[in-house]
Amino acid sequence: MAMRTAAREPARSARERLLAAANELFYAEGVHTVGIDRVIEKAGVAKASLYNTFGSKDELVRAYLEGRHARMAARIARHVDGQESARGKLLAVFEAQGELFAEPEFRGCAFARATAEAHSTVVDQAADGYRAWVRSLLAGLAREAGAPDPEGLALQLHMIYDGASQSARMDHAPAAAAARAAAVALLDAALAEG
């Protein structure tokens, strides 16, 4: 009888373990609420590892939010890249968001939660960067779709994007279909003006 050996997962670095712990704890409970000792304990690293790797809790929070941004950007890119038409690409942003809403651990926008809870330059900068990226993405896709005022349409679509996230969190109900329908109506109206 042949022995099966399970493939072992490579050991994660202290940085990876700290970020995984921070992502889980900060997102579920809040960046201000969760103390650094809990992150260190969950990550299974020494306190010195946190300070050697990040220097401070603020920098760990920054890395956590940058990771959330990168994961959402990758999720949206997967959806957008699967579309051929400019219209489909723009609407795919809301489909990607809907996929996030369907996850059992969805707790709302990590950036909105962090800025509501912790008033710090680090959090504000990360949130501002994420929001500027979303708006720029929407404006670029609106431009590609032929909208006569892509920045104006992007502002309106961004409001739907934000509202859908808030609604999905607060109402504990899927908001993706309504958000996509509102985006379709705005896009159709914008293109009719052009």
Side-chain angles (χ1 to χ4, degrees):
M1 176 162 123
M3 302 245 342
R4 288 180 46 188
T5 56
R8 294 191 67 179
E9 191 176 300
R12 293 187 304 168
S13 69
R15 175 180 174 67
E16 291 168 328
R17 292 193 318 260
L18 283 163
L19 283 172
N23 186 55
E24 183 180 328
L25 293 170
F26 289 163
Y27 186 64
E29 300 175 33
V31 296
H32 182 69
T33 305
V34 174
I36 207 65
D37 289 335
R38 286 202 48 223
V39 175
I40 291 166
E41 179 183 342
K42 180 147 192 78
V45 300
K47 190 175 267 194
S49 293
L50 174 112
Y51 291 106
N52 289 337
T53 305
F54 295 102
S56 67
K57 181 180 177 182
D58 273 352
E59 289 308 310
L60 177 61
V61 169
R62 180 190 312 272
Y64 151 71
L65 290 171
E66 287 171 351
R68 300 294 299 194
H69 180 157
R71 284 188 296 283
M72 193 61 190
R75 179 188 302 267
I76 289 172
R78 279 193 319 273
H79 283 264
V80 169
D81 292 346
Q83 300 295 318
E84 292 185 22
S85 72
R87 175 189 181 84
K89 290 177 183 182
L90 185 63
L91 297 175
V93 172
F94 295 92
E95 291 161 10
Q97 192 183 37
E99 181 183 88
L100 178 65
F101 298 163
E103 293 179 356
E105 64 274 0
F106 178 71
R107 302 281 183 271
C109 174
F111 298 91
R113 290 170 54 93
T115 57
E117 181 190 4
H119 300 288
S120 79
T121 302
V122 166
V123 169
D124 290 343
Q125 287 172 344
D128 290 348
Y130 174 72
R131 292 184 60 71
W133 174 81
V134 170
R135 183 84 48 84
S136 176
L137 171 71
L138 292 170
L141 293 171
R143 189 173 295 106
E144 189 179 327
D149 179 11
E151 285 75 19
L153 179 58
L155 175 62
Q156 294 170 336
L157 291 170
H158 198 181
M159 293 175 76
I160 291 171
Y161 183 91
D162 286 347
S165 181
Q166 187 72 355
S167 180
R169 169 66 179 129
M170 298 296 293
D171 299 335
H172 307 287
R180 189 181 187 286
V184 165
L186 280 175
L187 180 57
D188 288 349
L191 294 177
E193 290 173 11

